[in-house]
Amino acid sequence: MLATPEQETIARAFLAARAEKTPLTLYPGAMPQTMADAYAIQSAAIDFDGRRIGGWKVGRIAPDLVERYGGERIAGPIFADEIAADGAAMPVYADGFAAAEAEVLLCLGEVGDREYDIESVRACVTEVRTGIEIASSPFPDINRHGPAVTASDYGNNKGLVLGPPIPDWRDRDLITMPVEMRIDGDPVGAATMETMLDGPFGSALFLIRTLRARGIAIAPGTWVSAGAITGVHEIAVGQRAEALFDGKIRVGCSITGY
């Protein structure tokens, strides 16, 4: 779906706000009402931006909005220059929205053009890591107007922290793995991947199908940030986020601001 001139104007407004590190007190145009409109804005922004995409975040649509938006998940790009190692300092928009999310990260190999299901998609995955997605947008109310608005500004993504790998991921049920999230050492959430619909491989399957429908190629080495496990935890400049997977694998980052 090609962006309309108005949608291109919205995309450019978000790009300018991100580049200039200035907040958007109002949404810069008519809010998208469908996922098709949201992805048209997002795709225009990706084209105008020009940076290489190193991964994609997958987020969940609230159950009461699934029928309205025609699906259970959304996707947004993660740019290669915003993918960092464990312990990194991750910048956010201090006057916008900022959050940290404990996520499982799947690295895709050669996807090709074959059709997949929830079982066969595992063959595309070359590595599974622990991680933290940094969600941030110059629009403070980005998550208050539904998933189409969230998706329109890169899915509310501002980076990804690559944590240690899960070495035995092929031999265990990731769905039951316990995950804890802390901010400045204080517990803010705990859950298993049962909160993620059909789990991280379901997120990978959704992403492959969605990107194909949008005509976007998936390069080998693309990361899939599979969805918030313990919730979306708002965070402030100067704080530290840390996630604990399976009671023993830690990944963390500090938060800086623009």
Side-chain angles (χ1 to χ4, degrees), residues 31-227:
M31 291 185 179
Q33 299 300 310
T34 68
M35 294 310 302
D37 287 338
Y39 288 140
I41 296 168
Q42 185 189 107
S43 292
I46 290 170
D47 289 343
F48 296 147
D49 192 309
R51 286 180 294 165
R52 184 172 69 86
I53 293 173
W56 292 83
K57 61 86 54 72
V58 176
R60 183 174 182 178
I61 293 176
D64 60 322
L65 296 177
V66 166
E67 184 175 356
R68 174 180 172 184
Y69 289 97
E72 296 180 307
R73 290 177 165 107
I74 67 168
I78 304 171
F79 293 97
D81 62 356
E82 294 183 334
I83 298 177
D86 184 17
M90 302 298 289
V92 301
Y93 300 102
D95 295 321
F97 178 89
E101 304 168 16
E103 307 212 4
V104 166
L105 316 179
L106 312 180
C107 186
L108 298 179
E110 186 65 50
V111 173
D113 58 3
R114 63 170 288 190
E115 292 298 319
Y116 295 97
D117 59 25
I118 191 66
E119 293 301 324
S120 61
V121 77
R122 292 170 176 259
C124 293
V125 178
T126 61
E127 184 180 15
V128 176
R129 286 180 176 249
T130 58
I132 295 175
E133 185 205 346
I134 301 301
S136 189
S137 169
F139 181 43
D141 292 337
I142 188 166
N143 282 352
R144 298 179 182 175
H145 298 283
V149 167
T150 301
S152 70
D153 183 28
Y154 292 159
N156 194 14
N157 178 264
K158 192 61 181 73
L160 188 65
V161 180
L162 297 178
I166 300 174
D168 56 349
W169 65 271
R170 292 187 187 276
D171 303 316
R172 66 175 301 171
D173 181 9
L174 293 180
I175 293 287
T176 62
M177 178 181 289
V179 180
E180 301 174 26
M181 188 71 174
R182 293 175 179 264
I183 294 179
D184 286 345
D186 295 327
V188 294
T192 67
M193 288 175 238
E194 291 173 309
T195 61
M196 298 169 55
L197 300 171
D198 48 4
F201 297 105
S203 293
L205 181 63
F206 159 81
L207 184 66
I208 290 170
R209 290 173 173 172
T210 298
L211 295 185
R212 282 177 174 172
R214 294 172 63 185
I216 297 175
I218 304 171
T222 295
W223 288 99
V224 182
S225 193

